[in-house]
Amino acid sequence: MQRKIIDSHTHIFKYIAGFGEEGELRYVGNGMASYPTGKTIKMIPDIYKTSYVSADMLVEHMNKYNIKYAMLLQGNFYGFQNEYSYEATKKYPNMLKCAASYDPYCLKSEAIKKHLFIDLGIKAVKFELSVGSGLMANHPDFKLDGDLFLNELEFANKHNLIVILDLGKLHSPSSQIKALENIITNFPNLPFVICHLLAPKDIDYLELENILNKINKPNVYFDTASLTHNLADSYPYPKAKKFLKMAKEIVGSNKILFATDYPSCLKEDSYDNLIKLFEENDCFTNDDLDNIFYNNAYNLFFKK
């Protein structure tokens, strides 16, 4: 019987309108986008001959792989498209939910929060800190446990939101581990999802082991999006399997979320292989796989 799956980290976008440390990002054809510095990057996998990735395209992909639900996340790499994602959840209410993002430095941030989380009723908020295209690309002095962000966490706590954090690459200025310890301790009733298993490189095994031991709290979950990419690993993923075994031993299979970073994951790998990363890992029992692929994300994001 085919296993039920939830992908906890996906993206859709009507157009590429990113903004980061190298300025605005615009589509230039053939799946590529360009910064005003002249740098060009691959944005859209070759299987899509479009300048966008729609909810319809994602749902077609989900049906192919028996993906029951997907979480739509925002990212400044593509450009925030909160209402586009929200509209997708209304079109596919039994398959999609979304997290919204905003810049807390905006002068009208209170009005933005009211519209997204009270008027529209979105129940998860994502903040990306990365120096490439997150908050610290434009606000390099941002502090994860500073007064500004504590105000955002107070709002999330008051309105029963799930907080999704992308801290960028491990060891980068945005990877504020001590501050992360502070906020997850000071907000014990606020669920946190840490993206990319903290985005380690293959040399960071012992460092990540130390960090996971420190931040392994009841309110903290970890998604596994782009793990193989960040580790520069390829199928059958010996590096990623080792990191996942360590993560399971420390935080348990009930805190790990299957996630891929769709559609960018399809630029360099197959979705089948990303599923096999878990199914072919001897450290996971069938119960572990049920947790990682479905139960954890269902209880966190989708259970009514």
Side-chain angles (χ1 to χ4, degrees):
M1 184 176 70
Q2 196 173 20
R3 192 181 302 277
K4 293 188 298 184
I5 297 175
I6 295 173
D7 194 330
S8 293
H9 191 134
T10 69
H11 300 276
I12 61 171
F13 46 95
K14 193 172 184 178
Y15 38 73
I16 292 172
F19 195 84
E21 64 178 347
E22 296 190 60
E24 74 273 12
L25 192 61
R26 67 183 185 92
Y27 186 70
V28 293
N30 297 318
M32 304 294 291
S34 175
Y35 285 109
T37 59
K39 179 181 178 181
T40 58
I41 52 175
K42 183 79 167 177
M43 294 285 286
I44 298 175
D46 292 336
I47 61 168
Y48 298 136
K49 308 300 181 183
T50 56
S51 60
Y52 58 87
V53 174
S54 67
D56 294 342
M57 294 158 71
L58 171 59
V59 167
E60 182 180 2
H61 166 85
M62 291 170 67
N63 289 332
K64 179 179 179 181
Y65 290 99
N66 198 37
I67 312 299
K68 298 300 184 183
Y69 301 98
M71 275 298 293
L72 306 175
L73 304 189
Q74 305 301 314
N76 222 16
F77 190 53
Y78 300 110
F80 294 166
Q81 307 199 22
N82 291 306
E83 301 236 6
Y84 185 63
S85 295
Y86 175 76
E87 290 164 3
T89 69
K90 294 305 176 184
K91 184 174 183 178
Y92 296 102
N94 297 318
M95 298 183 75
L96 304 177
K97 283 197 175 180
C98 69
S101 293
Y102 64 94
D103 186 334
Y105 288 87
C106 286
L107 291 179
K108 298 290 186 178
S109 64
E110 295 301 317
I112 296 170
K113 287 186 288 186
K114 178 182 179 300
H115 179 63
L116 294 174
F117 304 109
I118 298 175
D119 298 343
L120 299 185
I122 295 172
K123 298 305 294 181
V125 57
K126 184 202 172 190
F127 295 99
E128 180 174 345
L129 274 64
S130 75
V131 296
S133 58
L135 280 170
M136 293 189 69
N138 306 304
H139 311 291
D141 296 328
F142 173 82
K143 300 298 181 186
L144 188 61
D145 57 354
D147 290 342
L148 175 76
F149 196 63
L150 291 179
N151 180 67
E152 312 313 314
L153 294 177
E154 292 283 3
F155 177 89
N157 197 42
K158 177 180 178 181
H159 295 282
N160 300 310
L161 304 183
I162 299 163
V163 177
I164 302 169
L165 295 176
D166 181 344
L167 272 63
K169 306 290 187 184
L170 193 60
H171 297 301
S172 69
S174 59
S175 188
Q176 300 180 30
I177 302 302
K178 182 59 180 175
L180 177 63
E181 288 183 63
N182 292 339
I183 63 172
I184 63 179
T185 300
N186 292 331
F187 291 89
N189 298 317
L190 191 58
F192 290 91
V193 177
I194 311 303
C195 297
H196 308 298
L197 196 63
L198 288 162
K201 295 181 180 178
D202 61 345
I203 60 172
D204 294 328
Y205 182 88
L206 293 178
E207 177 75 7
L208 183 64
E209 183 179 38
N210 180 52
I211 293 170
L212 291 180
N213 275 303
K214 290 180 178 179
I215 64 173
N216 179 25
K217 305 291 184 181
N219 57 326
V220 183
Y221 299 79
F222 302 88
D223 90 28
T224 56
S226 293
L227 179 63
T228 57
H229 170 78
N230 290 325
L231 292 173
D233 205 6
S234 57
Y235 183 79
Y237 311 121
K239 299 174 187 175
K241 286 178 179 177
K242 179 182 176 183
F243 275 71
L244 287 172
K245 181 176 185 292
M246 177 254 286
K248 178 203 165 179
E249 290 172 350
I250 296 172
V251 307
S253 67
N254 62 327
K255 292 300 188 69
I256 299 171
L257 307 174
F258 174 77
T260 64
D261 225 350
Y262 169 96
S264 65
C265 62
L266 301 180
K267 292 185 298 185
E268 57 191 38
D269 213 337
S270 75
Y271 206 85
D272 287 301
N273 282 350
L274 297 176
I275 293 172
K276 290 176 184 176
L277 166 63
F278 295 87
E279 291 185 333
E280 296 179 353
N281 193 333
D282 293 339
C283 82
F284 294 129
T285 66
N286 274 327
D287 286 345
D288 290 333
L289 293 175
D290 286 343
N291 285 339
I292 293 167
F293 277 122
Y294 189 84
N295 294 339
N296 299 338
Y298 179 78
N299 290 331
L300 183 63
F301 295 121
F302 295 95
K303 189 175 182 179
K304 292 184 174 59

